[in-house]
Amino acid sequence: MSDYTMTIDGKAEAAKGTFGVINPATEDVFARPPECTREQLDAAMESAQSAYKAWSKDEAKRRQTLLDIAAAIQARGQEIAPLLTQEQGKPVDKAMQEVFGAAIWFQYTSSLQIPIETIQDDATRRIEIRRRPLGVVAAITPWNFPLMLAVWKIAPALLAGNTVVIKPSPYTPLTTLKLGEILRSVVPPGVVNVVSGGNELGGWMTSHPIPRKISFTGSVATGKKVNVSAAPDLKRVTLELGGNDAAILLADIDVKATAQKVFWGAFENSGQICSAIKRVYVPEKLYGSVVEELAAIAKTVKVGNGLEAGVQLGPLNNKMQFDRVTELVDDARKHGARVVTGGKRIGPKGYFYEPTIVADISDGTRLVDEEQFGPALPVIPYRTVEDAVERANATHYGLSGSVWSADPEKAAEVARQLECGSAWVNQHLAIAPNLPFGGAKWSGIGVENGPWGLLGFTEIQVVNVAKA
Ligand code: NAD
């Protein structure tokens, strides 16, 4: 039960206190990782600070280390994936994709250049625009893609020359602790420290005097607290927060083919993706057939324990999230919406919820207006495309969105009007290591991934050399 340790200064670190991690498929506590104390957090921060000097100096070594980390993750993939399934709930083949995706992210990031721009170089003067690392990065992650979202922070932070203290969600700490354990033999002591604990530990990190940057992924409500907590020391922040992505279907779509893609854009990872489709706008004349098609797909999906073969969707990750989805669907029902399929829990144990399609619903209902983050999709009729765009934009969220049409250029015209960080055409969740990902409005500050994400772990330095 207690063979999980934190990684502080390159060494395994237990703690007096522990906390329980629940397998969402069984509701059993199956592991008890350490509850980091304030003194242990101080030790992790101090270790990261003392490792920074040497680490920030040798770019070639950092590049090679990222490749070594990728290889180490690949070598341990078979061991990490079932652990991810047990702590998070996702089917083991998807867990495997996350693990190997994490390795690919490290490989890709190792190839990025840290730009040096020479904007003048003549007899009188040389002016270089350089990028310096920031120092210690405090990274905080959520429970839906615990490993991948940790890597989105660790890989660019390290390449840029920073050192890291990372805290995973208390619901899914195990794969990140395991990553720390793997890294002990790959990175120098102090370069990556992994601590585990509850929300309070997150607060200690964001207000700690050592970090110069907070890289946070989680909910809007917590993101706002993080921003406030980081402000007194003028720490840099990147916030990747929640979304309420709209998919707008245009009148010329192939209903069957589009419904299939829209369904998986909404239900992948049991809907627990920041940039999953969370509401679908459908032209009135196609409304009945789209609702029917989505419901037909929902009925075929195999939901179950992610360790079992053939399971397509696992449980919700935790009781709070399960209760939230239940509450939002019940609220929609109470306000006259039609639950076409699904709408209740599956079985007596585990946080399993039926893939749910809700029709005859509109904006102003909580299931449409709020982020459900679960397997329940509201389908909303619209009259004009202008109206659909206006409703899609009438929210504080602005993470991503998509427009679907037989004519991709026509759809792109509409997609450009969406107030969000990623506007997709005839696809959703098109996330890749070389593309910036981030939110508009309350969905975040800054971006992750690609050269743009890397620059977020640096600050500009102008070196201006007067020669004569
Ligand atoms: P959450 O905000 O509850 O928790 C996220 C992390 O913050 C956890 O590690 C938690 O322990 C920590 N935390 C909690 N309170 C804190 C505080 N006061 N100070 C510092 N840290 C604190 O989010 P969650 O429920 O774990 O994740 C779901 C949310 O994350 C959804 O809203 C989802 O959309 C969002 N998300 C966004 C992205 C993105 O890239 N934009 C990706 C995945 C998830």
Side-chain angles (χ1 to χ4, degrees):
M1 281 283 255
S2 292
D3 46 348
Y4 295 93
T5 47
M6 301 187 288
T7 298
I8 298 177
D9 201 32
K11 295 188 276 292
E13 184 85 22
K16 277 206 191 89
T18 60
F19 61 99
V21 178
I22 291 174
N23 179 337
T26 62
E27 297 183 41
D28 294 330
V29 172
F30 75 104
R32 298 206 69 88
E35 177 96 53
C36 185
T37 64
R38 233 183 220 281
E39 293 67 35
Q40 286 174 314
L41 178 66
D42 285 344
M45 291 291 180
E46 280 155 22
S47 169
Q49 193 170 40
S50 37
Y52 171 69
K53 203 167 176 189
W55 182 250
S56 61
K57 294 245 162 358
D58 191 346
E59 188 181 324
K61 177 174 176 174
R62 299 200 299 268
R63 221 172 268 295
Q64 182 56 47
T65 304
L66 260 57
L67 291 172
D68 295 344
I69 296 173
I73 292 174
Q74 268 166 341
R76 304 280 289 271
Q78 303 289 347
E79 177 190 340
I80 306 170
L83 185 62
L84 180 53
T85 296
Q86 287 174 81
E87 68 173 353
Q88 204 286 327
K90 65 188 64 188
V92 75
D93 59 327
K94 298 290 178 181
M96 202 57 123
Q97 281 175 17
E98 184 169 340
V99 174
F100 285 100
I104 287 167
W105 238 266
F106 269 109
Q107 279 164 352
Y108 165 78
T109 306
S110 78
S111 72
L112 288 176
Q113 295 306 310
I114 304 166
I116 301 171
E117 295 161 73
T118 304
I119 60 165
Q120 185 181 343
D121 190 6
D122 54 30
T124 60
R125 196 174 283 275
R126 189 178 70 251
I127 306 176
E128 297 165 357
I129 312 295
R130 305 179 74 92
R131 296 279 175 164
R132 287 175 48 77
L134 296 163
V136 175
V137 172
I140 300 175
T141 50
W143 45 258
N144 57 343
F145 285 86
L147 191 66
M148 188 57 121
L149 295 176
V151 169
W152 284 17
K153 300 178 185 319
I154 297 171
L158 293 191
L159 183 72
N162 306 279
T163 54
V164 174
V165 177
I166 185 163
K167 183 199 92 66
S169 164
Y171 293 113
T172 54
L174 305 178
T175 45
T176 310
L177 290 170
K178 181 63 76 183
L179 179 65
E181 185 192 313
I182 293 169
L183 296 191
R184 282 174 212 155
S185 58
V186 187
V187 302
V191 167
V192 178
N193 301 271
V194 182
V195 293
S196 52
N199 297 347
E200 195 184 29
L201 175 60
W204 296 346
M205 291 170 74
T206 56
S207 59
H208 199 281
I210 288 181
R212 289 311 309 145
K213 161 133 190 161
I214 310 295
S215 180
F216 172 82
T217 303
S219 63
V220 168
T222 310
K224 288 180 179 180
K225 287 186 201 160
V226 167
N227 209 15
V228 169
S229 174
D233 292 338
L234 302 176
K235 296 183 181 98
R236 278 54 177 160
V237 291
T238 297
L239 303 175
E240 294 285 0
L241 309 179
N244 193 11
D245 287 17
I248 300 176
L249 279 45
L250 302 189
D252 61 358
I253 51 159
D254 172 333
V255 168
K256 231 180 164 48
T258 305
Q260 191 70 31
K261 291 184 185 163
V262 166
F263 180 87
W264 286 108
F267 286 83
E268 192 62 67
N269 209 39
S270 298
Q272 302 164 116
I273 306 184
C274 51
S275 54
I277 296 172
K278 307 229 166 88
R279 48 199 171 122
V280 186
Y281 290 92
V282 181
E284 276 179 348
K285 71 168 188 167
L286 297 182
Y287 189 68
S289 54
V290 169
V291 167
E292 214 171 279
E293 201 60 46
L294 288 170
I297 301 165
K299 284 178 191 155
T300 66
V301 172
K302 185 164 181 207
V303 181
N305 186 328
L307 291 178
E308 285 164 19
V311 163
Q312 291 170 288
L313 295 180
L316 274 299
N317 172 257
N318 56 72
K319 170 124 180 20
M320 190 189 64
Q321 197 54 36
F322 177 85
D323 288 346
R324 179 169 167 75
V325 171
T326 306
E327 182 184 318
L328 290 182
V329 173
D330 289 349
D331 175 80
R333 210 185 253 128
K334 215 180 326 158
H335 286 87
R338 179 165 56 100
V339 176
V340 187
T341 186
K344 57 181 190 310
R345 77 173 299 154
I346 304 172
K349 266 241 169 262
Y351 307 129
F352 297 104
Y353 197 84
E354 290 177 336
T356 300
I357 302 294
V358 181
D360 303 340
I361 186 167
S362 197
D363 312 67
T365 312
R366 288 183 63 202
L367 183 63
V368 179
D369 294 354
E370 297 180 19
E371 185 188 36
Q372 68 275 50
F373 216 61
L377 183 65
V379 189
I380 306 139
Y382 74 81
R383 273 226 171 107
T384 67
V385 174
E386 293 70 28
D387 180 40
V389 169
E390 200 163 303
R391 286 149 78 182
N393 288 338
T395 169
H396 284 304
Y397 290 108
L399 194 54
S400 32
S402 55
V403 182
W404 302 73
S405 165
D407 178 348
E409 290 310 324
K410 186 171 82 183
E413 271 300 301
V414 181
R416 286 184 197 105
Q417 298 170 45
L418 294 177
E419 295 167 356
C420 60
S422 299
W424 292 307
V425 169
N426 292 339
Q427 58 185 341
H428 209 93
L429 297 172
I431 294 168
N434 60 343
L435 300 177
F437 181 75
K441 304 197 266 186
W442 286 11
S443 286
I445 296 179
V447 296
E448 295 190 297
N449 301 332
W452 306 271
L454 176 67
L455 293 185
F457 289 98
T458 67
E459 57 198 356
I460 279 185
Q461 180 186 47
V462 180
V463 178
N464 192 333
V465 183
K467 295 184 183 170

